[in-house]
Amino acid sequence: MVIRYLSRSSSVRTAALALGALVLLSTPVSAAELSAEPAPPRPVPAYTSAYLDRPGVQVRPDADAPPLPSHVSALAWLVADAHSGEVLAARDAHRPLPPASTLKSLFALAVLPHLDVGSRHLVAPRELDLVGAGSSLVGVAPGRDYRVDDLWRGVFLSSGNDAVHVLARLNGGLDKSVRQMREKARELGARDTHVVSPDGYDADGQVSSAYDLAVFGRAGLADPQFSRYCSTRVAQFPAGGWSYPIQNTNRLLTGADGVAPYPGLLGIKNGYTSNAGATLITAAQRDGRTLVVTVLNPQEGGGYAVYEEARSLLDWGFAAAEKVRPVGSLLPPPAKISRARTTSESALLEPDDSDWPALMMVMAGGVAVLAGLIVAVRRRAATVSRRTEAKKKTVE
């Protein structure tokens, strides 16, 4: 036997619910109410994200599901269906890790809507003052005039921290952009991410997770501008009176440096710093299905292992999509439903901490009692009236 002790607030709510229920049960019910069809029960979610809170690999395969690739060495990774948001499998999905330039995906989600990509901007020297040493650069030069559209290509293709800083200044400053990024992350349900620098440059306390980066990637695919930039392989970047070619650093997209391009790849964003290691958000489409994969800091295989591990996870995801049960979702939870927990294979919702259900039950009970009193008073008045009329007729 398991005995659970209720907290004071839980006891109050329980008593209130019991009182409301007794009041309702004591109120007369009409025949019409008795014959009314009962409301269907609120459906229990088919799955929860509780699996993703657990350490290690989480997957729920059917009997005919293909095995996960055995050589994925990343500290954290995740495979999800971009359309439904269902997470097919993951390892340490919520583990906080430095994201490197994959954080630029959140920068784009937060800032793109606020800037006119067709406008032009003359870069001031101070706009590049805080670009970190050793940053990846696209070649933005002070005193030159750039289209905002070109600066965004510099962000997505060359992972240019210089372009990020100029765009952040255009957006009202670095602090404002960081604040907007934090707000956007919360809006999307990405609770593991803490932004310090908008370009993903290593900074104390700056972290994200395989889960959050997948959320950003999925949101980016739904934005036409984001999708256009992240899937561009090669572009020309202006340099005064001439221009030079820039190539997307996502080698699964371009096939550069001996990495075979992945069929149906939609791009998104890669990154690398000495602290974060290699990081990647990527997506691919096949037979009408789109998958999002995140890979953080492979421990084996060298500098391009992040691409090969992502390739293996994409292959597995397309083969396993109909043969595994989801272990979570990239969709933010409904605002009024508490986070669900999973016990064994069943999904059980936690009680709502709010007192509103109890209050509503008591209010409903009060209304029912009042209605019952009104009916009783009216019936009593009618009875008295009939008796009075009967007496008058007898006297006459």
Side-chain angles (χ1 to χ4, degrees):
M1 174 183 291
V2 177
I3 301 175
R4 295 183 179 177
Y5 295 93
L6 296 176
S7 65
R8 180 178 177 274
S9 60
S10 296
S11 301
V12 171
R13 288 197 296 273
T14 302
L17 287 169
L19 175 61
L22 288 173
V23 170
L24 287 175
L25 288 173
S26 64
T27 304
V29 182
S30 67
E33 290 171 328
L34 286 172
S35 61
E37 182 179 353
R42 186 171 68 178
V44 175
Y47 56 88
T48 76
S49 292
Y51 287 99
L52 301 182
D53 292 333
R54 303 172 182 174
V57 174
Q58 303 300 323
V59 63
R60 303 171 71 196
D62 293 339
D64 58 345
L68 283 165
S70 59
H71 57 280
V72 178
S73 65
L75 295 181
W77 54 263
L78 185 143
V79 183
D81 185 290
H83 176 71
S84 66
E86 292 179 344
V87 179
L88 307 184
R91 177 184 181 184
D92 293 336
H94 291 294
R95 179 176 178 175
L97 292 167
S101 286
T102 54
L103 197 63
K104 290 182 172 74
S105 60
L106 178 59
F107 174 74
L109 288 171
V111 176
L112 254 174
H114 302 291
L115 299 181
D116 177 7
V117 298
S119 63
R120 302 191 70 89
H121 175 66
L122 183 66
V123 176
R126 61 182 178 82
E127 294 174 342
L128 301 172
D129 286 348
L130 298 180
V131 176
S135 289
S136 54
L137 306 172
V138 67
V140 176
R144 284 183 183 163
D145 182 66
Y146 296 91
R147 290 175 61 226
V148 171
D149 189 45
D150 289 321
L151 293 173
W152 279 116
R153 289 193 186 92
V155 171
F156 277 91
L157 276 67
S158 296
S159 203
N161 288 7
D162 47 357
V164 169
H165 278 250
V166 173
L167 289 168
R169 298 278 189 164
L170 275 173
N171 186 50
L174 295 177
D175 291 343
K176 179 181 178 181
S177 297
V178 166
R179 184 169 64 252
Q180 288 176 339
M181 291 171 70
R182 293 175 179 173
E183 291 169 355
K184 188 65 176 179
R186 300 300 174 264
E187 174 191 324
L188 294 171
R191 301 291 178 177
D192 305 320
T193 299
H194 179 66
V195 182
V196 178
S197 174
D199 51 17
Y201 191 81
D202 286 338
D204 290 342
Q206 180 154 275
V207 293
S208 189
S209 67
Y211 179 90
D212 284 12
L213 293 176
V215 168
F216 304 152
R218 180 177 183 269
L221 292 176
D223 183 309
Q225 283 186 323
F226 186 111
S227 296
R228 176 168 60 89
Y229 289 126
C230 79
S231 62
T232 301
R233 290 173 169 81
V234 179
Q236 292 293 123
F237 193 77
W242 61 291
S243 63
Y244 52 89
I246 56 175
Q247 179 173 273
N248 201 309
T249 54
N250 183 347
R251 292 159 180 84
L252 277 183
L253 182 67
T254 62
D257 300 315
V259 176
Y262 193 86
L265 201 84
L266 303 176
I268 302 186
K269 193 72 192 74
N270 61 307
Y272 176 83
T273 67
S274 56
N275 186 37
T279 59
L280 178 66
I281 313 169
T282 196
Q285 191 172 57
R286 181 185 300 173
D287 298 329
R289 183 184 301 278
T290 302
L291 297 182
V292 175
V293 165
T294 54
V295 180
L296 294 175
N297 200 352
Q299 301 297 289
E300 302 173 2
Y304 299 147
V306 69
Y307 300 110
E308 300 308 327
E309 295 192 5
R311 183 195 309 279
S312 297
L313 291 170
L314 283 168
D315 287 344
W316 175 86
F318 285 118
E322 301 294 337
K323 301 173 182 178
V324 296
R325 289 162 289 167
V327 294
S329 175
L330 298 181
L331 303 179
K336 294 185 179 180
I337 299 179
S338 63
R339 190 174 189 176
R341 299 291 177 186
T342 301
T343 303
S344 298
E345 293 295 321
S346 63
L348 303 175
L349 287 176
E350 290 181 350
D352 189 352
D353 289 336
S354 172
D355 289 332
W356 278 107
L359 293 175
M360 292 301 292
M361 181 68 80
V362 172
M363 291 172 64
V367 171
V369 169
L370 180 60
L373 289 174
I374 292 173
V375 170
V377 169
R378 287 181 176 176
R379 287 179 178 175
R380 178 64 178 169
T383 300
V384 171
S385 178
R386 285 196 302 271
R387 289 177 178 175
T388 302
E389 291 295 327
K391 288 180 180 180
K392 286 181 179 180
K393 289 180 180 180
T394 302
V395 172
E396 291 173 354

